[in-house]
Amino acid sequence: PREKIENIMDKIIQEQGVMMTEIAKNLWLSNPELKILNEKGHCIGLHSYDHPLQLSKLSYQKQFNQYMANYSHIKSVCNKEIISMSHPLNSYNEDTLKVLIKLGIKCGFRSNMTRPYRNKIDSYCLQIAREDAANILKMISNLKMKKEKRNAKR
């Protein structure tokens, strides 16, 4: 399925006359940008190497390869151990957690506030809930609209 989705995305991009290199400039941080964030004290964490759509469906070894490549890249640029991560598309399973423990990751973030994998928080803090920024913006927008409606009634 991933290859099929990627082919569809490539076709749409091509039909729009957009160069993938132009899109990539705005999607990923460059090494100099990553280094600047690190030097300013930000905690740079893992998120997989090439962002598989369903990481949880990959074998343990493929998941390990994803995170190891990401780990090696960030470590080479930032010159420090990586201790945090965020689950891409909230897709993870027991193998993912084992990989992260093996890599020495201390905290990991889910991409929503729902119950974690198997309905329990692991003792390694690799399933910390976080609200997606897009959802927070929606909440703010909804609160503003409610406030405007209340003010309009006065």
Side-chain angles (χ1 to χ4, degrees), residues 68-85:
M68 191 66 218
N70 190 206
Y71 186 99
S72 298
H73 176 241
I74 294 171
K75 187 174 180 183
S76 72
V77 173
C78 298
N79 198 29
K80 70 178 185 183
E81 298 299 317
I82 313 305
I83 61 166
S84 66
M85 65 80 59

Side-chain angles (χ1 to χ4, degrees), residues 49-61:
Y49 189 72
D50 62 8
H51 208 281
L53 296 175
Q54 294 181 313
L55 187 102
S56 64
K57 293 196 175 184
L58 299 180
S59 68
Y60 172 91
Q61 189 59 51

